[in-house]
Amino acid sequence: MKIFYLILLLFFNFTLHGQVLKVREQNQLIGLGLNLNQLKINDTHVQQNLQAILKLERKRKINKTLGIVFACFSGFGIASGTYILLKGKNDPTEGKVITSLYGGMMLAGGIVYGGISIPFFTSAKKRKKERDIIAGKYLEPSLSTKMQVTKSK
């Protein structure tokens, strides 16, 4: 019987966060321009939309970060490959072939990384558009007009 009460006590000590937005999530939504005071936060449809906005924002940030990382690798690879190729051009020693081969590989690797970064940037842009469409329903009126002006440019 003691084990039953112990298990029951453990279940009552857990805090459930089912449909409630955490403070961090609320701050993120406020940062996106949503006015949470005017929303019916207890409505399940509104909750689902707000969770979808947060999920799309997370995906957008991850894709943008990965795109930036691959673009940096691309820039480093292209710059170092070009430097090695140009330095090896005037080298009269026998290592000219190996140096030019290594420089070419670095340059090709940089171009490949640049090609890899493009889908991440386009995906981040797509997620931002999806997020803005859902968030457009809940934006404050002053921010809604600003968002429409930036979309038309």
Side-chain angles (χ1 to χ4, degrees), residues 19-71:
Q19 293 292 326
V20 179
L21 289 173
K22 297 174 186 161
V23 176
R24 182 179 58 86
E25 293 173 340
Q26 289 177 359
N27 290 337
Q28 278 183 325
L29 290 170
I30 291 169
L32 291 173
L34 299 176
N35 188 0
L36 298 179
N37 296 331
Q38 296 176 352
L39 296 178
K40 300 175 187 175
I41 295 183
N42 295 332
D43 186 17
T44 57
H45 184 66
V46 173
Q47 280 286 331
Q48 289 174 349
N49 283 340
L50 294 178
Q51 291 295 336
I53 291 169
L54 290 170
K55 185 177 180 181
L56 288 171
E57 180 65 12
R58 235 176 285 125
K59 285 183 179 180
R60 182 193 70 83
K61 284 183 178 181
I62 290 170
N63 284 335
K64 184 102 176 193
T65 304
L66 287 174
I68 290 171
V69 167
F70 282 125

Side-chain angles (χ1 to χ4, degrees), residues 32-33 128 132 136 139-153:
L32 291 173
K128 184 178 180 183
D132 289 344
L139 280 177
E140 294 179 19
S142 62
L143 292 174
S144 177
T145 56
K146 287 180 185 176
M147 197 165 90
Q148 289 174 355
V149 169
T150 57
K151 282 184 181 178
S152 64
K153 288 184 178 179

Side-chain angles (χ1 to χ4, degrees), residues 72-121:
C72 289
F73 284 153
S74 170
F76 176 74
I78 290 173
S80 61
T82 305
Y83 175 75
I84 291 171
L85 279 175
L86 292 177
K87 184 180 175 186
K89 217 177 206 185
N90 299 328
D91 191 15
T93 62
E94 294 179 10
K96 183 176 182 181
V97 175
I98 295 173
T99 305
S100 63
L101 182 65
Y102 182 69
M105 287 175 34
M106 290 287 289
L107 183 65
I111 292 170
V112 168
Y113 276 123
I116 290 172
S117 70
I118 293 171
F120 285 111
F121 284 123

